Amino acid sequence: MLKNRPILEIKNITKKFNTSDNKVLTACNDVSLEFEEGKILGIVGESGCGKSTLMKMIIQLEDPTSGEILYEGEDITKLKGEKLRQNRRHIQMVFQDPSTAFNPRMKVKDIICEPLLNFKLIKKKQRDEVAKKYLNMVDLPESFADRYIHNMSGGQRQRIGIARALSLDPKVVILDESTSALDVSIQKNIIELIKKLQKEKNITIGFVCHDISLMSEISDKVAVMYLGNLVEVVPGRQLKNGCKHPYTQALISSVFHLNMDFSKEIENIKDEAPSPIDMPKGCPFENRCKYSMEVCKKEKPKLKLISKDHHVACHLNKER
Ligand code: SF4
């Protein structure tokens, strides 16, 4: 598959938070990643691995401690005032739970059109017409324009969230666990909708999820995070059978599927992840890795290119 130009480049992003007891928590540790234009980049990892913090920095809800985020070549972490506000049009987010993200007193047409009104891209009297256009786009009836979001199912609410995110015609859309709270059948419909819209509009998508099997179905490329670090970046089609990092392999082997042999022991990842307040000196996965070697305790492995479009941070893998 041909590589598209990067529309968004994360360069050496680190995010640290001060805790109430004067310690420092590292949520993202020197992460570099490219979002190719018109492709889906999946970001996967356990809760607390830093994936949502990274996405919040991309949509400028959080400032990085260091590093750059380039959108179309410009470092958006330096933007201020009106330039910052205008940049928000290009990168939009769909949240996990739209019922908490939106004002329950607003009608669906107001939720969808609010960003357009804020940017003065439409007039108030155009709301009905514009809302119907976006309801059609996300396969919902036009009559929903006058409903309230609490009268809708989880899948319908998530479609409204997608319609609102698309209303500003963004180039990049971040979906942060946007399908996680939905039933599996509804989840499938939403995924199909996302893929359809992505192709029609050539949108770049960042798909944040902890479900690694879903990730391999939807993503062109998958970035695996562990304890704030990027440990593997692999083409989506290679994720299941070609991943090389022991953490990614452990995530894959712990996925349940209908044809699995339940007489065999299910492989669990042993121990707990270390605290992000007390990051290990060597490999962040060392205390849980069954292949751990002496070097892993002392030296943090760098993310290396090991084959075409495949990067791994592990001492077991040689640089190409
Ligand atoms: Fe395991 Fe060592 Fe590779 Fe870390 S660097 S994943 S401890 S083998």
Side-chain angles (χ1 to χ4, degrees):
M1 198 188 288
L2 279 180
K3 214 173 166 203
N4 289 2
R5 75 176 182 112
I7 189 165
L8 194 63
E9 294 167 83
I10 315 290
K11 291 195 165 178
N12 308 104
I13 281 289
T14 292
K15 177 69 184 175
K16 293 178 188 283
F17 294 99
N18 293 321
T19 66
S20 53
D21 50 356
N22 292 326
K23 292 188 174 141
V24 177
L25 182 151
T26 307
C28 284
N29 193 13
D30 197 19
V31 173
S32 295
L33 195 56
E34 287 182 353
F35 287 65
E36 287 173 53
E37 188 175 32
K39 299 272 179 87
I40 299 181
L41 170 65
I43 299 155
V44 71
E46 293 166 306
S47 300
C49 69
K51 54 190 190 308
S52 289
T53 304
L54 184 63
M55 294 305 112
K56 280 186 186 153
M57 289 188 276
I58 291 173
I59 61 161
Q60 297 166 287
L61 286 181
E62 294 277 1
D63 291 326
T65 307
S66 59
E68 296 179 324
I69 299 174
L70 307 183
Y71 170 73
E72 299 274 25
E74 183 174 21
D75 185 2
I76 59 174
T77 67
K78 305 268 188 308
L79 297 181
K80 298 264 182 295
E82 186 55 19
K83 269 194 122 181
L84 172 66
R85 199 177 88 87
Q86 288 299 332
N87 187 67
R88 293 212 158 107
R89 287 173 58 179
H90 306 306
I91 309 173
Q92 288 288 304
M93 188 153 178
V94 180
F95 294 91
Q96 180 174 4
D97 185 0
S99 53
T100 56
F102 304 137
N103 183 344
R105 293 203 195 107
M106 287 170 87
K107 287 187 173 175
V108 163
K109 63 182 173 193
D110 297 317
I111 291 173
I112 295 176
C113 293
E114 188 183 41
L116 290 160
L117 288 164
N118 286 345
F119 280 98
K120 297 192 174 35
L121 297 171
I122 59 165
K123 299 214 161 53
K124 238 180 168 180
K125 62 180 182 199
Q126 290 175 278
R127 272 178 312 167
D128 287 285
E129 172 205 339
V130 172
K132 284 173 186 170
K133 175 182 139 191
Y134 285 100
L135 285 168
N136 279 320
M137 196 182 278
V138 295
D139 301 331
L140 285 175
E142 292 181 356
S143 59
F144 276 37
D146 282 309
R147 283 205 192 181
Y148 291 95
I149 201 148
H150 55 82
N151 290 328
M152 305 174 102
S153 69
Q156 288 166 344
R157 283 201 287 261
Q158 206 47 285
R159 284 172 194 263
I160 300 297
I162 293 169
R164 179 182 158 110
L166 293 182
S167 67
L168 288 171
D169 214 7
K171 296 277 189 283
V172 180
V173 174
I174 306 292
L175 294 132
D176 188 7
E177 301 279 8
S178 308
T179 59
S180 306
L182 302 174
D183 290 343
V184 177
S185 57
I186 311 288
Q187 196 178 54
K188 186 170 173 283
N189 294 340
I190 297 288
I191 296 291
E192 278 165 6
L193 173 69
I194 292 166
K195 287 184 93 163
K196 183 188 95 165
L197 294 171
Q198 184 249 344
K199 285 212 174 71
E200 281 172 9
K201 297 176 134 308
N202 196 37
I203 307 168
T204 306
I205 290 185
F207 186 70
V208 180
C209 186
H210 59 268
D211 182 342
I212 200 158
S213 54
L214 178 61
M215 200 49 100
S216 63
E217 299 295 326
I218 188 172
S219 309
D220 295 295
K221 186 165 77 172
V222 176
V224 184
M225 288 188 73
Y226 182 78
L227 200 65
N229 296 275
L230 201 54
V231 296
E232 183 156 16
V233 184
V234 55
R237 64 184 183 284
Q238 265 174 253
L239 179 65
K240 272 186 191 162
N241 300 316
C243 64
K244 296 288 182 204
H245 195 282
Y247 173 62
T248 319
Q249 290 171 343
L251 284 181
I252 296 278
S253 72
S254 63
V255 171
F256 284 95
H257 56 87
L258 283 177
N259 300 325
M260 71 192 290
D261 181 355
F262 283 98
S263 62
K264 287 188 184 157
E265 196 181 341
I266 296 165
E267 201 176 318
N268 286 319
I269 310 177
K270 63 170 185 156
D271 294 334
E272 300 266 317
S275 164
I277 291 173
D278 190 16
M279 284 278 197
K281 183 170 165 244
C283 171
F285 192 55
E286 190 278 322
N287 70 321
R288 306 174 85 187
C289 179
K290 60 182 176 184
Y291 306 108
S292 173
M293 306 168 282
E294 217 31 59
V295 62
C296 308
K297 292 190 175 75
K298 296 178 195 143
E299 212 178 288
K300 188 181 163 196
K302 291 199 172 78
L303 196 70
K304 295 170 286 209
L305 182 70
I306 60 155
S307 61
K308 190 170 181 294
D309 299 329
H310 190 173
H311 292 78
V312 182
C314 171
H315 291 305
L316 290 172
N317 292 276
K318 296 258 174 303
E319 193 147 13
R320 186 161 98 159

